[in-house]
Structure formats: C-alpha cells, structure tokens
Amino acid sequence: MAVDKLFKDEATEEKGERARMASFIGAMAIADLVKTTLGPKGMDKILQSTGRGHSVTVTNDGATILKSLHIDNPAAKVLVDISKVQDDEVGDGTTSVVVLAGELLREAEKLVNAKIHPMTIISGYRMAAECSRNALLEKVVDNKLDAEKFKADLMKIAMTTLSSKILSQDKEHFAKLAVDAVMRLKGSTNLEAIQIIKKPGGSLKESFLDEGFILDKKIGVGQPKRIENAKILVANTAMDTDKVKIYGARVRVDSMAKVAEIEVAEKEKMREKVQKIINHGINCFVNRQLIYNFPEELFADAGVLAIEHADFDGIERLALVTGGEIASTFDNPESVKLGHCKLIEEIMIGEDRLIHFSGVELGQACTIVLRGASPHMLDEAERSLHDALCVLSQTVNDSRVLLGGGWPEMVMAKAVDELARKTPGKRSHAIEAFSRALVAIPTTIADNAGLDSAELVAQLRAEHHKEGSTAGIDVISGCVGDMAELGISEAFKVKQAVLLSATEAAEMILRVDEIITCAPRRREDRM
C-alpha cells in the first residue's frame, strides 16, 4: 500500500527536475548579483540594513556583499559560503569564484537538458579542472630568489588587486603602503601586527604607513608627554577601588570621623596597589579599565605615564608588539614580562591626539593610518587594503605569479578545449562547457567596462593560439593588450583557489536531486 503522506503539514519537498531547477536558478541569481562588481570597471553596491540605525555599507567586495544577504535558496547559500572561505583563505577573488561557479552551473543546466547525466558532467568538470591547473602551473613565474624582481612582482599584484576597488585612483600609493607593510612581516601571514587606523578627514592620498604602534588614546593631565626607553606594563585590572564597592551595603557609624577613616583605609589600599605597580620599575602603565583620579595622581607624582581604557584590541596588540604580557596581579614583579619600546610620544592626526610607540620589540609591527572623506569611504578603503595585504602575505609564502586581466582564464580555456577534443564519449561535452565557463570571466570584465565582449574575446582567443602569448583585456584602452607590458599580475594561489573552490561548489550543487524543507518544530512537540 502506498504511503500518501510522509512529512508533516508544513514540510515541503522538491524532487528531480524541479529541485535541480531551483538550485541552478538560485546559484545563477547570486552570480548575476555580484557579476557587475568584477574587474577594474566594476560598480559598487549599497547595502542598507533594516535594523536599528539603518547602517549603510558601500562596497564592491564580493564576500562583504554576499555575507550581508539573507538567502532562502540552499544552493545560493553554498556560493555565499565559498566566497567567505575564499575571503578567509586568500583574501581576494571573492567575486571571481562566485561568477565562475555560477557559469559552470549555467553550462551544466544546458547539458542536463540535453539528457547528459549529472555524474558524467561532474567527471568531465573534474578532468577539466585538473587540466586547467596544470596549464597554469606550466606558465607560472617565480622570482623568489631575485629580491628586486620579487618586490616588483608584489607591487604589480597589489596594484592589480587594488585596481578593482575604491583605491584604484591612488593605487600606486596604496600598493607601496601594502608592500612595505607586508615586507616587514618577513614571511609570516599574521596580519595582526599590521594595525589599520581610520581617521575621517583629509583625502585618501594623505594615508601613510608608520612604523611602530599608534594607540587611539590621549595622555592624561600632568603626566609626562614623552618617554624615552619606555618600560611598559600592560594590565587588565580595576583601578577604581578607592570608593566603597559593596553595593547595597549598609555601614553604620556613630560619627563623621569614622566615615573619613573608611575613606582613608580605601585610599591606603589603592596607594599600596599603585606602589606595587610602580615597584615593577616601569615608566608607562597601560590599563584596559578605568583609572580614577587618585591613582592617576599617584602615577603622575612617580613620573609614570598612565593610559586608561585602552580597548581590548589595543592592549592585546600592544602586548604583542612590545613583547610584554597582560598582567592582572602585581605581587611578584619578577614573573611579569614587561614590554619595551624606544620612545613614547603624543602625535596629532587631523584633529585627534594619539599616542605613538616607536622602536618596538617586534620590528614587524606597523600602523597604516587611513584618511578619507567619510566613514563609509574609510570602511571600504580598509576592506580593499585588507584584501591587498592578504594576497601579498600569501604571495610572500607562495611566490608563484601569473599575469592578470583574463589571461589565465584564456590559457586554461585553451588547454581545456584541447582536452575536450581528445576525450571520447559524453564527458567531452562537459569539458567543453567548462572552457566556455572560464571564458565568461574575461567576457564579464569586458561587459562591465561597456566594451564589445564578443569581439574582444574572439580577438583574445586568436591571440592565445600563438605560442607564448601574453594577451589579456586592457580595460582602459578598450582593446586586447599585452599584460606583461602593462604590469598586470595576479597571485597563482588566488587563481588556484578560485578554480578549485568554484568547481567543487558547482559539483556539490549538481549532485542534488531533492530538496526537503523541514517543518519548524512546534513547542508542544517537546512535551
């Protein structure tokens, strides 16, 4: 006897063709959404939240756009996740990975309609992805051993990454900032040591790189404004116990003199604590919490610079950079590790005063101060710079470099086409489809620049049939240009991550033949 109904009332299921259609359409819609942000002439999106404050974000970073979307379609969620992973892993290529996955699914849809089994398509895609990767590996350039050339490569990569972002007007300036900051890291990918401070005002051109550490605080009243050879104690402790802290406590006294005694006792307790801290032999005390007037006065008398309420990011980073540890008890000074730096002074940026620590232990540390017209502009500039820093720090480790501007896609498409001709059976259709999907990236770059993409891509394909061609799309002049001359480069690691993530995501969505949406669990079911 057939079961009429398996699921509860609110649960729904989509089977076979309809499930596949829903997946394909969702994924393609997401790809079309971010498609217009791809390339140097890509446009930005405004994201407005409906929550309190209606905050507005202006961005063209694929991962940021997709992260802010609330999506119902399960296949679209897969694409959002791969762009997040791409952002965490290599920092750039977040839009490309979604566009490529969307195109692979668009091609797969045509093949499925032509009665080719999804598994056949998947195995074809697998072969094509492997072939593409090998094609890129043959063409990579590695200048790790030649420091001058390697630095030039890094500059080119930074400028290429920034050219599709808001910083494209001053890309040389920012590329130099990013390369200098990453070169200081000496091969570590820990971007914690690079601090980015955003100060509205001025123009983007006025941004600068400062070695050392800048803390966004003012120096207190009556304290030394400049300290040389500073010994710094970084702490997270309450410095406001000169008041009675027991809430709701009743203290009965028979005269005012007794109240005064209690206050004196409290003050003594505080004085002891301050004395313990000063006994560490320090001349700068940075605290996460408030420091009240009385202890501040004591520190000032002892000639110690006391900085209060340094936010947690600030003190964590300060401890890391000066080589100290965060302390909360001060009974045995010998076990506390102090931080050191050569000079602490107050500097002005725009209207604000900040504290500048220079000559710090960790020579890798530096601060990039961004200036700009508005907070939205600064947020987007920070995201762009972060992308560039991520890509550069990855490239320092894996120094293989490719040309950019649609060149890698054409190289891969050519190799994949050749593979399709050699492969017998239905898989060859899938392999051919893969090469069409790859060509979609240069096509989109040209479309976004308002160029005739069909004409350009056809010229590009003809150029690539010559041996050792370095042709790509030159968006500025609007024709096929020589990428090596224009200095447009990309990191191999980014391209490889885009290729593999997009193929795997497309494969995952292709395998779906049923979507079951569960009913929400009711309260009374739990009884």
Side-chain angles (χ1 to χ4, degrees):
M1 176 183 149
V3 179
D4 273 355
K5 203 163 146 240
L6 186 60
F7 298 114
K8 285 197 168 173
D9 287 347
E10 294 93 358
T12 55
E13 64 170 329
E14 304 261 341
K15 278 198 166 143
E17 205 52 45
R18 290 195 48 185
R20 204 165 279 131
M21 280 299 296
S23 308
F24 286 158
I25 289 168
M28 287 190 273
I30 285 283
D32 289 342
L33 177 76
V34 291
K35 203 183 239 187
T36 52
T37 67
L38 191 69
K41 293 278 176 92
M43 305 304 273
D44 289 11
K45 309 266 183 247
I46 288 186
L47 310 170
Q48 184 176 17
S49 81
T50 49
R52 282 218 321 266
H54 291 277
S55 61
V56 171
T57 314
V58 183
T59 181
N60 78 354
D61 175 43
T64 311
I65 296 170
L66 295 179
K67 234 187 299 190
S68 327
L69 300 179
H70 291 288
I71 296 169
D72 211 18
N73 186 301
K77 283 199 173 119
V78 173
L79 292 198
V80 173
D81 288 343
I82 59 166
S83 95
K84 272 189 204 159
V85 170
Q86 180 79 9
D87 196 29
D88 298 341
E89 187 66 24
V90 281
D92 196 23
T94 48
T95 312
S96 314
V97 70
V98 176
V99 171
L100 182 57
E103 287 301 325
L104 286 172
L105 288 168
R106 184 163 302 175
E107 293 295 336
E109 186 187 16
K110 294 176 196 161
L111 294 175
V112 170
N113 291 342
K115 298 278 181 284
I116 295 176
H117 194 279
M119 284 302 161
T120 313
I121 302 174
I122 287 172
S123 84
Y125 277 4
R126 281 256 168 112
M127 286 168 70
E130 190 54 38
C131 166
S132 311
R133 190 167 169 270
N134 294 338
L136 286 186
L137 279 171
E138 283 168 22
K139 303 265 185 181
V140 290
V141 182
D142 193 341
N143 288 330
K144 182 126 201 192
L145 304 172
D146 185 341
E148 281 299 305
K149 272 188 183 166
F150 186 49
K151 194 161 184 191
D153 274 352
L154 287 180
M155 276 298 285
K156 285 179 192 166
I157 288 175
M159 275 160 48
T160 307
T161 300
L162 293 172
S163 65
S164 64
K165 310 265 192 288
I166 195 167
L167 303 176
S168 58
Q169 301 311 311
D170 313 309
K171 64 182 175 191
E172 288 186 14
H173 177 61
F174 282 102
K176 194 166 172 0
L177 287 189
V179 172
D180 286 350
V182 168
M183 289 302 245
R184 294 177 73 95
L185 290 178
K186 300 184 182 66
S188 93
T189 50
N190 180 16
L191 296 179
E192 288 280 298
I194 302 175
Q195 182 195 18
I196 298 181
I197 286 185
K198 299 175 287 192
K199 285 281 165 210
S203 70
L204 282 170
K205 263 210 172 62
E206 289 167 30
S207 308
F208 61 91
L209 177 96
D210 194 309
E211 46 242 43
F213 183 84
I214 297 179
L215 194 63
D216 200 348
K217 287 286 155 216
K218 294 187 180 65
I219 290 182
V221 182
Q223 295 185 347
K225 297 278 184 218
R226 179 188 165 96
I227 292 182
E228 289 184 9
N229 292 330
K231 295 192 184 74
I232 307 162
L233 176 62
V234 186
N236 182 4
T237 180
M239 296 299 287
D240 47 6
T241 43
D242 55 335
K243 306 274 189 292
V244 173
K245 259 295 182 62
I246 311 163
Y247 292 108
R250 282 189 173 180
V251 184
R252 282 213 174 150
V253 287
D254 42 21
S255 71
M256 274 309 286
K258 290 283 196 299
V259 177
E261 273 177 37
I262 292 173
E263 282 182 352
V264 168
E266 285 285 349
K267 276 195 161 174
E268 277 309 311
K269 204 164 107 187
M270 195 72 232
R271 185 170 307 198
E272 270 176 35
K273 187 168 187 182
V274 171
Q275 197 49 54
K276 273 184 194 166
I277 291 172
I278 294 171
N279 288 347
H280 284 64
I282 55 168
N283 47 14
C284 173
F285 175 66
V286 183
N287 192 18
R288 163 92 211 307
Q289 300 176 26
L290 281 170
I291 301 178
Y292 270 21
N293 307 354
F294 178 62
E296 191 166 39
E297 192 184 308
L298 295 176
F299 281 127
D301 290 347
V304 172
L305 163 62
I307 303 166
E308 63 174 9
H309 233 230
D311 54 349
F312 204 70
D313 270 2
I315 69 161
E316 287 249 310
R317 207 178 249 141
L318 185 61
L320 174 84
V321 166
T322 55
E325 282 173 359
I326 300 175
S328 25
T329 55
F330 311 102
D331 291 333
N332 30 0
E334 61 284 345
S335 67
V336 174
K337 202 170 166 200
L338 298 181
H340 297 277
C341 79
K342 291 210 174 77
L343 176 67
I344 300 179
E345 58 186 341
E346 196 170 54
I347 56 168
M348 294 280 289
I349 296 180
E351 302 278 296
D352 299 340
R353 292 184 171 170
L354 304 112
I355 305 172
H356 181 231
F357 297 78
S358 50
V360 289
E361 282 276 304
L362 191 66
Q364 311 168 346
C366 57
T367 300
I368 295 177
V369 179
L370 291 178
R371 307 298 311 274
S374 73
H376 301 138
M377 186 111 167
L378 285 173
D379 287 343
E380 177 63 357
E382 182 187 20
R383 278 190 289 271
S384 312
L385 199 58
H386 183 261
D387 280 5
L389 290 172
C390 285
V391 174
L392 290 176
S393 67
Q394 295 288 348
T395 313
V396 170
N397 281 345
D398 181 349
S399 53
R400 292 173 292 184
V401 177
L402 297 162
L403 296 173
W407 176 86
E409 282 78 15
M410 295 312 286
V411 168
M412 293 193 277
K414 183 183 168 195
V416 172
D417 266 342
E418 281 166 14
L419 175 70
R421 293 205 191 98
K422 293 180 204 150
T423 309
K426 285 186 182 174
R427 277 188 303 189
S428 62
H429 294 295
I431 297 172
E432 218 172 307
F434 194 93
S435 103
R436 282 199 297 275
L438 285 169
V439 176
I441 288 192
T443 311
T444 310
I445 292 177
D447 280 340
N448 286 347
L451 306 172
D452 181 355
S453 58
E455 171 70 19
L456 272 176
V457 171
Q459 282 180 14
L460 197 55
R461 184 174 279 144
E463 280 292 318
H464 271 269
H465 270 281
K466 300 172 188 163
E467 203 50 48
S469 162
T470 54
I473 290 179
D474 177 6
V475 188
I476 310 304
S477 67
C479 55
V480 171
D482 183 348
M483 294 293 119
E485 266 175 40
L486 292 168
I488 295 176
S489 298
E490 294 189 51
F492 169 72
K493 196 158 182 185
V494 174
K495 275 290 162 228
Q496 174 179 296
V498 166
L499 179 71
L500 302 180
S501 304
T503 313
E504 283 176 10
E507 188 179 308
M508 194 168 155
I509 295 170
L510 262 175
R511 284 172 180 270
V512 172
D513 79 328
E514 187 165 357
I515 300 174
I516 301 170
T517 315
C518 296
R521 187 186 280 166
R522 294 267 181 83
R523 282 275 166 84
E524 59 266 25
D525 284 359
R526 291 197 205 147
M527 301 304 280

